[in-house]
């Protein structure tokens, strides 16, 4: 009885008494999969973890998974599964800090998940990069919907151009550095972003309505603000690459079949 009461208190703190019975049962089922895992192994456990994360039942689910794991005895969450949890937990904490609440963080994660799935991009990489973008843009004119638009534009360009996971991460990292510094540097635009996203410098010049030579001089003088260039560049990237996203997505889906 004492053990049962203790578990009830833990569940209350983890998930909140306001959750419905149906939601709780779904969480228990998913958490049990995470703890024991069906025959498909690691992939199913990571999928279960993602479901818990996206449905807002992560804290409750992990507690149940821990208790269920003791009950199953012979099973354990794989090292890969634990590493996946650690990565997504860091993303969750970063998104919560940058968005201001767990609810906003869950919405941000759902946005990244849907975007990544639709474009065939690596979820862990894109989620990590989006959390950095939201942190870098917090308190600036780029915060919120503008950052989402920038993220979507770069993600679609990455999908159409067939960038690798590392290249995609590098492109987002260059954008994040521009946001953090406030002023765009030639090294980040011409070097870091340009090396991952072919034609980025030319596109930036077009977005700003100047020649590449003029843009180069503006960069040298520190006259290019991230808050001015990035939204314009995002709009141009969407114009250039959005029409080809459908074909890129079909190619990705075909590679899975």
């Amino acid at each position: 009885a004492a053990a049962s009461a203790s578990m009830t208190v833990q569940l209350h703190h983890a998930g909140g008494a306001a959750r419905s019975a149906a939601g709780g049962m779904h969480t228990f089922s998913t958490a049990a999969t995470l703890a024991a895992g069906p025959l498909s192994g690691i992939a199913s456990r990571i999928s279960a973890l993602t479901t818990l994360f996206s449905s807002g039942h992560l804290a409750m689910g992990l507690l149940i998974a821990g208790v269920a794991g003791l009950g199953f005895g012979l099973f354990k969450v794989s090292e890969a599964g634990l590493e996946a949890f650690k990565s997504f937990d860091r993303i969750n904490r970063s998104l919560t800090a940058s968005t201001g609440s767990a609810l906003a963080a869950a919405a941000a994660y759902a946005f990244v998940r849907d975007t990544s799935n639709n474009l065939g991009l690596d979820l862990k990489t894109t989620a990590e990069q989006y959390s950095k973008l939201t942190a870098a843009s917090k308190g600036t004119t780029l915060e919120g919907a503008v950052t989402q638009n920038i993220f979507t534009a770069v993600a679609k360009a990455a999908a159409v151009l067939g960038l690798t996971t590392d290249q995609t991460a590098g492109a987002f990292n260059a954008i994040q550095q521009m946001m953090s510094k406030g002023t765009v540097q030639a090294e980040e635009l011409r070097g870091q972003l340009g090396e991952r996203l072919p034609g980025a410098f030319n596109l930036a010049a077009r977005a700003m309505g100047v020649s590449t030579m003029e843009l180069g001089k503006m960069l040298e003088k520190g006259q290019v603000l991230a808050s001015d260039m990035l939204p314009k560049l995002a709009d141009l990237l969407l114009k250039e690459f959005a029409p080809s996203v459908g074909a890129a997505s079909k190619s990705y889906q075909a590679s899975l079949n």
Side-chain angles (χ1 to χ4, degrees):
S4 177
S6 175
M7 181 176 179
T8 299
V9 171
Q10 292 180 66
L11 291 176
H12 173 79
H13 289 302
R19 289 199 174 104
S20 67
M25 287 304 294
H26 175 72
T27 300
F28 184 89
S29 175
T30 309
T33 299
L34 176 63
L39 296 178
S40 54
I42 294 174
S44 65
R45 297 179 198 182
I46 293 177
S47 177
L49 180 62
T50 302
T51 299
L52 288 170
F53 192 108
S54 61
S55 65
H57 289 74
L58 182 61
M60 176 187 276
L62 289 174
L63 173 60
I64 298 174
V67 175
L70 293 176
F72 284 108
L74 297 177
F75 299 92
K76 66 177 181 179
V77 179
S78 67
E79 182 177 349
L82 289 175
E83 286 303 314
F85 160 66
K86 290 177 183 178
S87 295
F88 281 102
D89 182 55
R90 284 193 295 270
I91 294 167
N92 179 40
R93 285 187 278 111
S94 177
L95 287 174
T96 300
S98 59
T99 60
S101 71
L103 185 61
Y109 177 79
F111 160 72
V112 176
R113 180 198 61 213
D114 292 344
T115 302
S116 299
N117 289 343
N118 290 336
L119 298 176
L121 300 176
D122 180 72
L123 175 58
K124 176 176 174 292
T125 298
T126 52
E128 286 176 342
Q129 294 304 320
Y130 185 69
S131 70
K132 292 178 182 179
L133 292 182
T134 57
S137 65
K138 186 176 183 179
T140 73
T141 57
L142 299 175
E143 184 175 5
V146 181
T147 293
Q148 280 196 354
N149 196 55
I150 293 170
F151 171 83
T152 300
V154 175
K156 287 185 175 182
V160 171
L161 293 172
L163 300 189
T164 65
T165 297
D166 287 343
Q167 289 172 327
T168 301
F172 278 122
N173 188 56
I175 298 293
Q176 180 259 318
Q177 289 186 33
M178 294 178 200
M179 286 182 173
S180 296
K181 294 179 180 179
T183 301
V184 179
Q185 305 293 319
E187 176 189 355
E188 291 144 6
L189 178 56
R190 193 191 295 272
Q192 295 181 39
L193 185 61
E195 289 176 1
R196 277 85 176 180
L197 208 63
F201 191 81
N202 289 334
L203 288 169
R206 286 174 54 193
M208 295 292 288
V210 298
S211 68
T212 54
M213 184 177 294
E214 289 172 321
L215 179 59
K217 292 179 180 179
M218 292 170 66
L219 290 170
E220 290 177 3
K221 297 177 181 179
Q223 296 176 337
V224 183
L225 300 179
S227 58
D228 181 31
M229 190 200 78
L230 289 179
K232 293 177 180 178
L233 177 58
D235 288 342
L236 185 55
L237 286 174
L238 289 172
K239 181 180 179 181
E240 292 286 316
F241 293 103
S244 302
V245 167
S249 298
K250 288 180 181 178
S251 175
Y252 167 72
Q253 289 299 329
S255 70
L256 297 180
N257 297 331

